Amino acid sequence: MAGSVVAMTTSMKLDTGPGLRATLRVDGWSTGAFGIFLLATAPVLREPLGLPTSWSIPFGVAMLGGATALLLIAGYPEIPARAAGAVAAANAVSGLVLVELAVVDVIPLTMPGRMFLLAGAAFVATCAALEFAGLRRERA
């Protein structure tokens, strides 16, 4: 019996209102725009930010893939709870990784580069918080 309850919970689909869906769409479109920005400006931003193109190009490509997934999830008639939770968790982890990259000398960032990554971390953490809140609200 307990196993069937767990299975129902993990495969549950949310009857989503505009909150969670809107957050996923904003997250998707902004992720895509930022991915395009990184790809288009990688050589130009290398010097002022200290962000090597060997980092910014893969980040940009990954962000385009992530944006596609976010927009597909947001477009479902009923958003799967597991997918929404995975998005929120991935954003939370991404925010932590961006903070770590900004403060640890893994990449030779300039001070503007560090601020750039910290701003990205703040945005991603905000999306994660809004997605977690939307997921909780939809489940209630």
Side-chain angles (χ1 to χ4, degrees):
M1 180 79 171
S4 62
V5 171
V6 170
M8 286 191 309
T9 303
T10 58
S11 65
M12 177 179 83
K13 292 188 185 289
L14 302 173
D15 182 18
T16 55
L20 179 60
R21 186 178 309 281
T23 302
L24 290 168
R25 284 186 176 140
V26 168
D27 191 2
W29 285 109
S30 60
T31 299
F34 194 67
I36 291 168
F37 173 78
L38 276 179
L39 291 171
T41 62
V44 177
L45 292 178
R46 184 179 55 232
E47 291 301 318
L49 299 182
L51 186 61
T53 55
S54 62
W55 283 77
S56 56
I57 290 175
F59 279 160
V61 170
M63 291 180 88
L64 291 178
T68 302
L70 284 163
L71 294 171
L72 285 171
I73 293 167
Y76 289 152
E78 293 181 10
I79 297 173
R82 182 180 283 173
V87 167
N91 276 337
V93 170
S94 295
L96 292 173
V97 169
L98 286 171
V99 168
E100 186 174 356
L101 287 174
V103 299
V104 177
D105 289 328
V106 174
I107 305 171
L109 296 170
T110 62
M111 186 52 71
R114 292 180 193 284
M115 300 310 292
F116 181 74
L117 288 187
L118 290 173
F123 181 79
V124 170
T126 300
C127 286
L130 291 171
E131 288 155 354
F132 276 126
L135 185 57
R136 255 192 330 270
R137 197 171 35 252
E138 295 299 331
R139 284 185 168 172

